[in-house]
Amino acid sequence: MSGSADSSYKCTLPPDVLAKAKRELREDPDTRIFEVKTLRSRLEKVPGLKPRTDFNFLLAFLRARKFDQERTFQLLKNYYEIRRTEPEIFDDLKPSRIKHILDDGLFEILKERDSEGCKVVILRPGNWDPDRFPVAEIPRADFLLFSKLVEDEITQVNGIHFIINLEGMTMKHVSHFGPALAKKVMQILQDVVPLRLKRIDYVNEPTFFDIVFSIVKQFMKEKLTKRIVLNGSEFDKLHQSIKPIYLPTDLGGTQKPHKDQEVIKALLASESRFIEDMKFGFLNMSIKKDKNEVRNADAGIQGLGGSFKKLDI
């Protein structure tokens, strides 16, 4: 994938979302191609890294970090580094590997967006049967699902609204969810996938919720903790953001849960896209590196720092 097709990029954002991108993300259509080319040039100089360089892929990362070259470069470094250091999650990373998780109904993506235009993702951890598959497979599903969602340009700009319905969650579930896993999940959501996580609603929190939340909160950035809404068994605050006619019945809505499965089907149909994606990354990244090699690679990445600013072109 090269930069030869840069000029053929056609922005699919409607006028109101493009205006939002200009206002909130500092996106400038006149310098958009230059920003992508600058980022691509930096990535191609990282020792031992074979990065994806296609325009749309890099643009998603730029939008996630408001076109700040340094922060975007760090996000991409995280994206490839975690795939090297966490093989339990990222080896053989393709949708067919998580079909059983999707079939069990842990995730639902609503067809309608919330009042801010965010894509709405529902997680139902109570549907997870710890005897069927290990908890480490859930971060893999997180990564694949959110990676698919942020292919959409409107979602790149407006962000994602995450609803976590804890109905049916027991201490058996919690016993599998320790700090190490919480750290990986929050790292993926905050520092790896190029998404804007705009709101998190917890619903039907159990009596032991404080235990769960204390584990997760220590890995949340301050700005994200301010976007958390606790609903209990009442849905008034949630319904101010999403009309009940768009929500499933277990969230006080009128729709049958999992009525719309377009995104899930699209993800499962994207096997070849994710197989192709596995060709990119640090060379031999599935092989455990010795300390000297990792140190040298990191030094090469850190050495590519610098200050970038937009040019008038």
Side-chain angles (χ1 to χ4, degrees), residues 155-171:
T155 302
Q156 290 171 13
V157 175
N158 287 342
I160 286 175
H161 181 165
F162 203 13
I163 303 173
I164 304 175
N165 186 355
L166 298 175
E167 184 177 9
M169 193 173 187
T170 67
M171 285 302 297

Side-chain angles (χ1 to χ4, degrees), residues 47-313:
L49 177 64
K50 179 184 178 183
R52 278 186 61 177
T53 58
D54 50 299
F55 191 95
N56 292 67
F57 177 78
L58 297 180
L59 180 58
F61 282 85
L62 282 163
R63 284 173 172 155
R65 291 298 181 265
K66 299 183 179 181
F67 283 80
D68 183 310
Q69 284 284 342
E70 291 300 327
R71 295 177 64 227
T72 304
F73 183 76
Q74 181 64 46
L75 182 62
L76 276 156
K77 172 191 169 182
N78 295 343
Y79 178 86
Y80 287 114
E81 188 67 21
I82 197 172
R83 293 168 72 117
R84 174 169 64 173
T85 59
E86 301 291 344
E88 182 182 12
I89 297 174
F90 293 97
D91 274 4
D92 197 25
L93 192 67
K94 54 190 179 184
S96 59
R97 289 285 307 276
I98 64 164
K99 187 177 185 300
H100 57 290
I101 299 176
L102 302 176
D103 289 343
D104 281 0
L106 269 73
F107 293 93
E108 179 177 2
I109 296 85
L110 300 188
K111 184 175 182 179
E112 300 292 338
R113 297 175 182 269
D114 72 6
S115 59
E116 299 298 320
C118 297
K119 198 67 176 174
V120 181
V121 178
I122 302 170
L123 172 65
R124 298 183 176 92
N127 287 358
W128 168 51
D129 182 355
D131 296 326
R132 285 198 62 213
F133 57 87
V135 69
E137 295 190 16
I138 296 178
R140 180 186 296 131
D142 285 330
F143 180 87
L144 286 167
L145 183 59
F146 285 108
S147 294
K148 184 63 180 177
L149 286 172
V150 296
E151 290 179 354
D152 176 72
E153 291 199 277
I154 295 177
T155 302
Q156 290 171 13
V157 175
N158 287 342
I160 286 175
H161 181 165
F162 203 13
I163 303 173
I164 304 175
N165 186 355
L166 298 175
E167 184 177 9
M169 193 173 187
T170 67
M171 285 302 297
K172 182 177 181 180
H173 294 102
V174 177
S175 67
H176 293 266
F177 190 76
L181 181 70
K183 181 178 181 180
K184 291 176 185 177
V185 171
M186 295 315 303
Q187 185 178 8
I188 289 170
L189 296 181
Q190 297 178 114
D191 299 314
V192 174
V193 179
L195 59 83
R196 305 182 73 203
L197 191 51
K198 301 297 292 182
R199 174 168 169 163
I200 299 178
D201 276 85
Y202 284 97
V203 176
N204 292 316
E205 304 96 294
T207 55
F208 51 83
F209 174 73
D210 287 347
I211 299 174
V212 180
F213 190 59
S214 66
I215 295 174
V216 177
K217 188 177 180 180
Q218 61 184 313
F219 304 110
M220 283 186 176
K221 296 179 180 178
E222 183 179 358
K223 70 175 183 178
L224 186 57
T225 62
K226 295 178 180 178
R227 297 174 181 176
I228 291 173
V229 180
L230 304 180
N231 293 271
S233 58
E234 303 294 329
F235 303 107
D236 292 347
K237 290 181 286 187
L238 180 62
H239 291 173
Q240 290 174 10
S241 177
I242 313 172
K243 294 180 181 179
I245 57 172
Y246 301 137
L247 285 167
T249 52
D250 62 341
L251 295 176
T254 61
Q255 300 296 322
K256 180 180 178 181
H258 301 284
K259 176 185 177 183
D260 299 305
Q261 295 282 24
E262 284 89 348
V263 174
I264 299 295
K265 292 177 180 177
L267 174 61
L268 292 172
S270 301
E271 191 87 350
S272 60
R273 174 262 198 245
F274 285 98
I275 290 175
E276 177 71 16
D277 199 51
M278 285 190 284
K279 297 177 182 178
F280 300 95
F282 286 101
L283 301 179
N284 302 317
M285 67 179 181
S286 62
I287 300 175
K288 186 176 182 180
K289 306 288 184 179
D290 64 58
K291 293 182 179 179
N292 288 333
E293 189 175 355
V294 172
R295 190 181 301 115
N296 291 339
D298 288 344
I301 292 173
Q302 296 295 343
L304 289 174
S307 177
F308 283 78
K309 60 182 179 180
K310 290 182 179 179
L311 301 180
D312 296 325
I313 58 174

